[in-house]
Amino acid sequence: QVQLVESGGGLVQPGGSLRLSCAASGSIFAIYTMGWYRQAPGKQRELVASITRGGTTNYADSVKGRFTISRDNAKNTTYLQMNSLKPEDTALYYCNSDIMQRRNLVRRGYWGQGTQVTVSS
């Protein structure tokens, strides 16, 4: 089985920073694209940022220049550094990873449980 565990959310003032982490564990053969999504109350889940196995990144226009996604392939972990946070960044942030399992070589997407980010003064 494969699990994704996020950490690093919390309450921060506007203009502040947070760093989210997402660690994948279990029967993993390979991890392909890893990404962060967010969902605010009453809104659809949206892609925030993604990073391929080779390091190619993609960002939502609303976070470009403020957020940075990275990954450590040796640790099966992705990070989201969030700077200059705004109240509109408040949401539940989810990690998603495209993973091939070791035991049966089945490849599919997995979701973490989510971590809350609240930006408020």
Side-chain angles (χ1 to χ4, degrees):
Q1 192 58 285
V2 172
Q3 281 189 318
L4 298 182
V5 178
E6 300 116 332
S7 61
L11 173 65
V12 64
Q13 292 187 340
S17 298
L18 283 175
R19 188 192 194 209
L20 306 183
S21 299
C22 172
S25 63
S27 176
I28 297 171
F29 179 77
I31 302 178
Y32 302 93
T33 299
M34 305 183 84
W36 291 93
Y37 290 72
R38 67 186 181 187
Q39 188 168 19
K43 295 188 176 181
Q44 289 189 331
R45 191 174 297 189
E46 62 175 356
L47 175 66
V48 176
S50 64
I51 184 168
T52 68
R53 185 175 178 82
T56 300
T57 58
N58 179 52
Y59 295 94
D61 287 342
S62 58
V63 306
K64 282 180 181 177
R66 300 188 298 121
F67 291 10
T68 302
I69 189 171
S70 60
R71 64 189 285 172
D72 184 334
N73 289 331
K75 295 182 178 180
N76 292 339
T77 299
T78 182
Y79 307 95
L80 186 67
Q81 178 66 44
M82 305 185 294
N83 299 328
S84 303
L85 282 160
K86 305 175 181 180
E88 50 263 43
D89 295 317
T90 296
L92 192 58
Y93 283 70
Y94 296 91
C95 174
N96 176 274
S97 293
D98 182 10
I99 296 174
M100 179 177 286
Q101 289 193 60
R102 181 177 298 279
R103 63 183 180 89
N104 57 14
L105 300 183
V106 171
R107 176 177 172 177
R108 70 172 182 90
Y110 291 85
W111 290 93
Q113 80 285 356
T115 185
Q116 179 67 38
V117 171
T118 302
V119 185
S120 175
S121 54

